[in-house]
mmCIF file of all heavy atoms in Angstrom:
data_model
loop_
_atom_site.group_PDB
_atom_site.id
_atom_site.type_symbol
_atom_site.label_atom_id
_atom_site.label_comp_id
_atom_site.label_asym_id
_atom_site.label_seq_id
_atom_site.Cartn_x
_atom_site.Cartn_y
_atom_site.Cartn_z
ATOM 1 N N ILE L 781 -19.175 159.576 64.087
ATOM 2 C CA ILE L 781 -18.067 159.339 65.019
ATOM 3 C C ILE L 781 -16.752 159.044 64.284
ATOM 4 O O ILE L 781 -15.706 158.899 64.925
ATOM 5 C CB ILE L 781 -18.373 158.173 66.000
ATOM 6 C CG1 ILE L 781 -18.574 156.836 65.252
ATOM 7 C CG2 ILE L 781 -19.561 158.501 66.881
ATOM 8 C CD1 ILE L 781 -18.634 155.617 66.171
ATOM 9 N N ALA L 841 -15.696 156.231 59.321
ATOM 10 C CA ALA L 841 -16.986 155.622 58.973
ATOM 11 C C ALA L 841 -17.720 156.596 58.066
ATOM 12 O O ALA L 841 -17.437 157.791 58.086
ATOM 13 C CB ALA L 841 -17.811 155.358 60.229
ATOM 14 N N VAL L 842 -18.643 156.078 57.276
ATOM 15 C CA VAL L 842 -19.484 156.958 56.461
ATOM 16 C C VAL L 842 -20.944 156.720 56.802
ATOM 17 O O VAL L 842 -21.310 155.641 57.280
ATOM 18 C CB VAL L 842 -19.268 156.748 54.942
ATOM 19 C CG1 VAL L 842 -17.848 157.085 54.539
ATOM 20 C CG2 VAL L 842 -19.643 155.332 54.531
ATOM 21 N N GLY L 843 -21.761 157.713 56.531
ATOM 22 C CA GLY L 843 -23.204 157.571 56.754
ATOM 23 C C GLY L 843 -23.726 158.745 57.543
ATOM 24 O O GLY L 843 -23.155 159.099 58.575
ATOM 25 N N GLU L 857 -22.693 155.970 51.628
ATOM 26 C CA GLU L 857 -22.202 154.596 51.534
ATOM 27 C C GLU L 857 -21.693 154.273 50.126
ATOM 28 O O GLU L 857 -20.813 153.424 49.951
ATOM 29 C CB GLU L 857 -23.299 153.605 51.922
ATOM 30 C CG GLU L 857 -23.741 153.697 53.385
ATOM 31 C CD GLU L 857 -24.717 154.843 53.677
ATOM 32 O OE1 GLU L 857 -25.079 155.595 52.743
ATOM 33 O OE2 GLU L 857 -25.108 154.993 54.857
ATOM 34 N N LEU L 860 -17.996 154.699 49.810
ATOM 35 C CA LEU L 860 -17.171 153.627 50.377
ATOM 36 C C LEU L 860 -17.144 152.408 49.444
ATOM 37 O O LEU L 860 -16.079 151.821 49.216
ATOM 38 C CB LEU L 860 -17.716 153.248 51.762
ATOM 39 C CG LEU L 860 -16.979 152.148 52.501
ATOM 40 C CD1 LEU L 860 -15.494 152.466 52.625
ATOM 41 C CD2 LEU L 860 -17.576 151.946 53.895
ATOM 42 N N LEU L 1028 -19.644 146.309 69.032
ATOM 43 C CA LEU L 1028 -19.262 146.625 67.661
ATOM 44 C C LEU L 1028 -18.076 147.593 67.659
ATOM 45 O O LEU L 1028 -17.235 147.571 66.763
ATOM 46 C CB LEU L 1028 -20.486 147.285 67.002
ATOM 47 C CG LEU L 1028 -20.646 147.329 65.500
ATOM 48 C CD1 LEU L 1028 -20.455 145.957 64.890
ATOM 49 C CD2 LEU L 1028 -22.012 147.891 65.153
ATOM 50 N N GLU L 1044 -10.417 150.027 58.432
ATOM 51 C CA GLU L 1044 -11.516 150.779 59.038
ATOM 52 C C GLU L 1044 -12.170 149.954 60.134
ATOM 53 O O GLU L 1044 -12.219 148.729 60.049
ATOM 54 C CB GLU L 1044 -12.574 151.135 57.982
ATOM 55 C CG GLU L 1044 -12.991 149.935 57.166
ATOM 56 C CD GLU L 1044 -14.094 150.207 56.147
ATOM 57 O OE1 GLU L 1044 -15.035 150.949 56.471
ATOM 58 O OE2 GLU L 1044 -14.025 149.637 55.050
ATOM 59 N N HIS L 1047 -17.728 149.250 62.696
ATOM 60 C CA HIS L 1047 -18.949 150.005 62.987
ATOM 61 C C HIS L 1047 -19.194 151.119 61.971
ATOM 62 O O HIS L 1047 -18.305 151.495 61.203
ATOM 63 C CB HIS L 1047 -18.884 150.602 64.395
ATOM 64 C CG HIS L 1047 -17.754 151.575 64.599
ATOM 65 N ND1 HIS L 1047 -17.758 152.842 64.081
ATOM 66 C CD2 HIS L 1047 -16.576 151.464 65.278
ATOM 67 C CE1 HIS L 1047 -16.648 153.470 64.440
ATOM 68 N NE2 HIS L 1047 -15.909 152.642 65.156
ATOM 69 N N GLY L 1048 -20.414 151.661 62.009
ATOM 70 C CA GLY L 1048 -20.767 152.770 61.141
ATOM 71 C C GLY L 1048 -20.554 154.114 61.827
ATOM 72 O O GLY L 1048 -19.794 154.204 62.812
ATOM 73 N N SER L 1049 -21.247 155.133 61.327
ATOM 74 C CA SER L 1049 -20.998 156.496 61.796
ATOM 75 C C SER L 1049 -21.734 156.813 63.098
ATOM 76 O O SER L 1049 -21.561 157.893 63.658
ATOM 77 C CB SER L 1049 -21.418 157.487 60.709
ATOM 78 O OG SER L 1049 -22.780 157.278 60.388
ATOM 79 N N ALA L 1050 -22.556 155.883 63.570
ATOM 80 C CA ALA L 1050 -23.263 156.014 64.858
ATOM 81 C C ALA L 1050 -23.811 157.409 65.099
ATOM 82 O O ALA L 1050 -23.423 158.081 66.068
ATOM 83 C CB ALA L 1050 -22.330 155.586 66.015
ATOM 84 N N PRO L 1051 -24.733 157.892 64.264
ATOM 85 C CA PRO L 1051 -25.237 159.265 64.447
ATOM 86 C C PRO L 1051 -25.840 159.490 65.820
ATOM 87 O O PRO L 1051 -25.850 160.628 66.315
ATOM 88 C CB PRO L 1051 -26.305 159.410 63.357
ATOM 89 C CG PRO L 1051 -26.301 158.172 62.548
ATOM 90 C CD PRO L 1051 -25.334 157.188 63.115
ATOM 91 N N ASP L 1052 -26.310 158.410 66.470
ATOM 92 C CA ASP L 1052 -26.949 158.576 67.784
ATOM 93 C C ASP L 1052 -25.979 159.048 68.862
ATOM 94 O O ASP L 1052 -26.394 159.625 69.870
ATOM 95 C CB ASP L 1052 -27.647 157.262 68.217
ATOM 96 C CG ASP L 1052 -26.743 156.043 68.170
ATOM 97 O OD1 ASP L 1052 -25.762 156.049 67.382
ATOM 98 O OD2 ASP L 1052 -26.999 155.075 68.911
ATOM 99 N N ASN L 1060 -16.371 154.523 71.216
ATOM 100 C CA ASN L 1060 -15.234 153.649 71.516
ATOM 101 C C ASN L 1060 -14.247 153.723 70.346
ATOM 102 O O ASN L 1060 -14.591 153.349 69.223
ATOM 103 C CB ASN L 1060 -15.769 152.217 71.675
ATOM 104 C CG ASN L 1060 -14.695 151.248 72.116
ATOM 105 O OD1 ASN L 1060 -13.504 151.547 72.022
ATOM 106 N ND2 ASN L 1060 -15.112 150.092 72.589
HETATM 107 P P1 LIG Y 2501 -23.573 151.850 63.551
HETATM 108 O O1 LIG Y 2501 -22.462 150.867 63.553
HETATM 109 O O2 LIG Y 2501 -23.218 153.231 63.173
HETATM 110 O O3 LIG Y 2501 -24.280 151.877 64.997
HETATM 111 C C1 LIG Y 2501 -24.946 150.753 65.562
HETATM 112 C C2 LIG Y 2501 -25.029 150.940 67.094
HETATM 113 O O4 LIG Y 2501 -23.729 150.718 67.655
HETATM 114 C C3 LIG Y 2501 -25.430 152.348 67.512
HETATM 115 O O5 LIG Y 2501 -26.220 152.281 68.669
HETATM 116 C C4 LIG Y 2501 -24.117 153.032 67.833
HETATM 117 O O6 LIG Y 2501 -24.218 154.049 68.798
HETATM 118 C C5 LIG Y 2501 -23.278 151.864 68.350
HETATM 119 N N1 LIG Y 2501 -21.865 152.045 68.012
HETATM 120 C C6 LIG Y 2501 -21.303 151.920 66.790
HETATM 121 N N2 LIG Y 2501 -19.998 152.179 66.851
HETATM 122 C C7 LIG Y 2501 -19.721 152.483 68.127
HETATM 123 C C8 LIG Y 2501 -18.534 152.872 68.812
HETATM 124 N N3 LIG Y 2501 -17.353 152.992 68.188
HETATM 125 N N4 LIG Y 2501 -18.613 153.134 70.136
HETATM 126 C C9 LIG Y 2501 -19.775 153.008 70.786
HETATM 127 N N5 LIG Y 2501 -20.932 152.637 70.203
HETATM 128 C C10 LIG Y 2501 -20.905 152.397 68.884
HETATM 129 O O7 LIG Y 2501 -24.684 151.262 62.560
HETATM 130 P P2 LIG Y 2501 -26.066 151.902 62.080
HETATM 131 O O8 LIG Y 2501 -26.673 152.699 63.181
HETATM 132 O O9 LIG Y 2501 -26.801 150.793 61.475
HETATM 133 O O10 LIG Y 2501 -25.647 152.892 60.913
HETATM 134 C C11 LIG Y 2501 -25.408 154.299 61.077
HETATM 135 C C12 LIG Y 2501 -24.846 154.833 59.766
HETATM 136 O O11 LIG Y 2501 -23.566 154.252 59.510
HETATM 137 C C13 LIG Y 2501 -25.717 154.513 58.549
HETATM 138 O O12 LIG Y 2501 -25.697 155.627 57.708
HETATM 139 C C14 LIG Y 2501 -24.997 153.324 57.903
HETATM 140 O O13 LIG Y 2501 -25.217 153.249 56.509
HETATM 141 C C15 LIG Y 2501 -23.551 153.669 58.200
HETATM 142 N N6 LIG Y 2501 -22.635 152.507 58.230
HETATM 143 C C16 LIG Y 2501 -21.384 152.738 57.744
HETATM 144 C C17 LIG Y 2501 -20.438 151.727 57.823
HETATM 145 C C18 LIG Y 2501 -19.036 152.030 57.345
HETATM 146 O O14 LIG Y 2501 -18.686 153.182 57.229
HETATM 147 N N7 LIG Y 2501 -18.206 151.026 57.117
HETATM 148 C C19 LIG Y 2501 -20.763 150.504 58.397
HETATM 149 C C20 LIG Y 2501 -22.051 150.312 58.909
HETATM 150 C C21 LIG Y 2501 -22.988 151.348 58.842
#
Side-chain angles (χ1 to χ4, degrees):
I781 62 170
V842 297
E857 295 80 0
L860 180 54
L1028 201 51
E1044 50 177 320
H1047 62 74
S1049 57
D1052 53 334
N1060 185 344

